[in-house]
Amino acid sequence: FSIDFDNIVHALKPQIETPDVKFFCENPYSKCIVSIDKERISQLMTNLVVNAGKFTPRGYIKVGYTIDTTGLHLYCEDTGHGIAKDKQTKIFDRFYKGNDFVPGTGLGLSICQKIVEQCHGHIELESELGKGTIFRIMLPIEVKLLETKNDTCIQK
């Protein structure tokens, strides 16, 4: 499929209900063709953005991707509440909720982890209380980067 991050971002924009939060995408290619399940990519990004939206009262939520010879790298960065160091190991546990007063079941991040594991990739987070969180996902695929005037990458 062709990763159309602009469409993914457009579909996710309504998930961000707070007017003080800017939502945007860093899309390095005008076209990127890889052989990967489009619905899974969309589900990963949806879960990350919805989660970020719950804990980001102001600032920004930024999503994007890069591709290199190791694979597809997705990320979601926010300026939200952040996650305490002692809670970071629990964040991917099923039904874990960092705040019981925030709606949700506590399944979004555990679903992300399962999808990533099934794709033989990995997910990690970097977070600091009061400063926000970055989730990074790496999905291994073989990629040939083409240096052309229309910025296209095509999987080998």
Side-chain angles (χ1 to χ4, degrees), residues 45-134:
M45 296 313 296
T46 298
N47 289 0
L48 293 176
V49 168
V50 166
N51 191 67
K54 291 177 187 178
F55 298 99
T56 306
R58 67 183 105 16
Y60 68 84
I61 297 171
K62 175 173 56 174
V63 296
Y65 72 98
T66 60
I67 293 187
D68 63 23
T69 56
T70 64
L72 174 63
H73 303 264
L74 304 165
Y75 58 90
C76 180
E77 177 181 342
D78 67 61
T79 57
H81 298 302
I83 303 163
K85 291 278 185 213
D86 63 328
K87 308 274 192 232
Q88 291 180 15
T89 57
K90 300 174 186 176
I91 203 75
F92 296 108
D93 291 352
R94 290 179 61 186
F95 303 111
Y96 177 78
K97 292 178 64 171
N99 182 336
D100 289 332
F101 298 105
V102 174
T105 60
L107 287 173
L109 293 176
S110 66
I111 289 170
C112 285
Q113 185 179 42
K114 290 294 179 199
I115 292 170
V116 169
E117 286 173 354
Q118 288 174 348
C119 295
H120 307 290
H122 66 270
I123 184 170
E124 59 187 35
L125 73 112
E126 179 183 322
S127 187
E128 187 176 338
L129 272 179
K131 296 198 177 186
T133 303
I134 303 170

